[in-house]
């Protein structure tokens, strides 16, 4: 059974995390995943958008050896599982509003929700239906990039996180196992 955490699982987890934790007035904020191949649509503000900037294999966290998961002494076999392949997904979280007060409120709630905004554990459900956590590490502080069109201003702030995930397809193989070790020595009488 697969136990992978990848884009879909992180997208779903981030949306749930934000909707439960950030509100304008008493209403949850609108959260959308921004796709690179889609045109920008007319947006309703305030809004938080998520964007996967890029992904990278994390060889520092990688275990190159298979992991023993089961052994049978009677049949002299061991089941080895390919270690999960760690990846880092880099997400940009964009905060959008038409009013400075809404922007201030969203940023304050985000910092509170993430206990300072620098790093936090994101609750996710992997592809096998198991509850897990992904460590999210802030890559930089908030940046501002407001858009001005005539007399209309759209307030925009964003922050980027490295999210630690893994591809774990539970690939298993059965191999023979040594159960008895005999030592022969030459005895002189």
């Amino acid at each position: 059974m697969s136990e992978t955490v990848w884009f879909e699982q992180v997208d779903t987890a981030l949306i749930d995390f934000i909707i439960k934790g950030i509100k304008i007035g008493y209403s949850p904020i609108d959260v959308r995943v921004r796709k690179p191949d889609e045109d920008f649509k007319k947006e309703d503000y305030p809004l938080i958008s998520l964007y996967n900037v890029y992904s990278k294999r994390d060889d520092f966290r990688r275990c190159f050896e298979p992991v023993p998961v089961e052994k049978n002494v009677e049949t002299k076999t061991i089941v080895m599982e390919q270690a999960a392949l760690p990846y880092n997904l880099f997400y940009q979280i964009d905060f959008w509003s038409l009013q400075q007060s809404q922007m201030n409120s969203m940023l304050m709630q985000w910092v509170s929700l993430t206990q300072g905004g620098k790093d936090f554990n994101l609750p996710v459900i992997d592809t096998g239906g198991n509850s897990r956590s992904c460590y999210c590490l802030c890559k930089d502080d908030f940046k501002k990039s407001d858009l001005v069109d005539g007399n209309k201003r759209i307030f925009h702030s964003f922050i980027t996180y490295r999210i630690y995930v893994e591809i774990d397809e539970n690939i298993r193989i059965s191999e023979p196992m040594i159960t008895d070790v005999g030592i022969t020595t030459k005895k002189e009488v």
Side-chain angles (χ1 to χ4, degrees), residues 122-135:
L122 177 69
V124 299
I125 306 293
D126 65 24
T127 55
N130 304 307
S131 294
R132 305 172 62 164
S133 291
C134 289
Y135 182 63

Side-chain angles (χ1 to χ4, degrees), residues 1 39 41 46 64 67 71 79 86 109 123 130-131 139 164 179 188:
M1 174 187 277
D39 290 335
K41 302 172 187 166
F64 290 90
V67 179
K71 64 181 176 178
V79 176
Q109 290 177 71
N130 304 307
S131 294
K139 294 294 295 168
Y164 293 77
T179 58
E188 292 190 27

Side-chain angles (χ1 to χ4, degrees), residues 93-95 103 107 140-146 156-160:
I93 301 174
D94 295 274
F95 299 80
M103 178 60 69
L107 297 181
D140 207 354
D141 290 326
F142 280 106
K143 301 285 185 219
K144 290 194 175 290
S145 176
D146 295 350
H156 175 225
S157 293
F158 62 92
I159 193 164
T160 304

Side-chain angles (χ1 to χ4, degrees), residues 13 16 19 31-32 34 47 84 161:
D16 290 345
I19 286 174
V31 183
R32 297 185 189 156
R34 192 174 59 155
L47 167 73
Y161 283 90

Side-chain angles (χ1 to χ4, degrees), residues 121-188:
N121 289 313
L122 177 69
V124 299
I125 306 293
D126 65 24
T127 55
N130 304 307
S131 294
R132 305 172 62 164
S133 291
C134 289
Y135 182 63
C136 301
L137 179 64
C138 184
K139 294 294 295 168
D140 207 354
D141 290 326
F142 280 106
K143 301 285 185 219
K144 290 194 175 290
S145 176
D146 295 350
L147 306 172
V148 179
D149 183 17
N151 61 354
K152 183 179 179 184
R153 180 176 183 172
I154 300 172
F155 294 93
H156 175 225
S157 293
F158 62 92
I159 193 164
T160 304
Y161 283 90
R162 172 193 306 221
I163 302 176
Y164 293 77
V165 300
E166 61 187 21
I167 299 172
D168 190 356
E169 295 298 304
N170 292 338
I171 299 170
R172 295 180 177 192
I173 53 172
S174 183
E175 297 182 336
M177 175 179 70
I178 297 173
T179 58
D180 299 317
V181 177
I183 299 175
T184 307
T185 60
K186 292 185 180 181
K187 246 186 187 181
E188 292 190 27

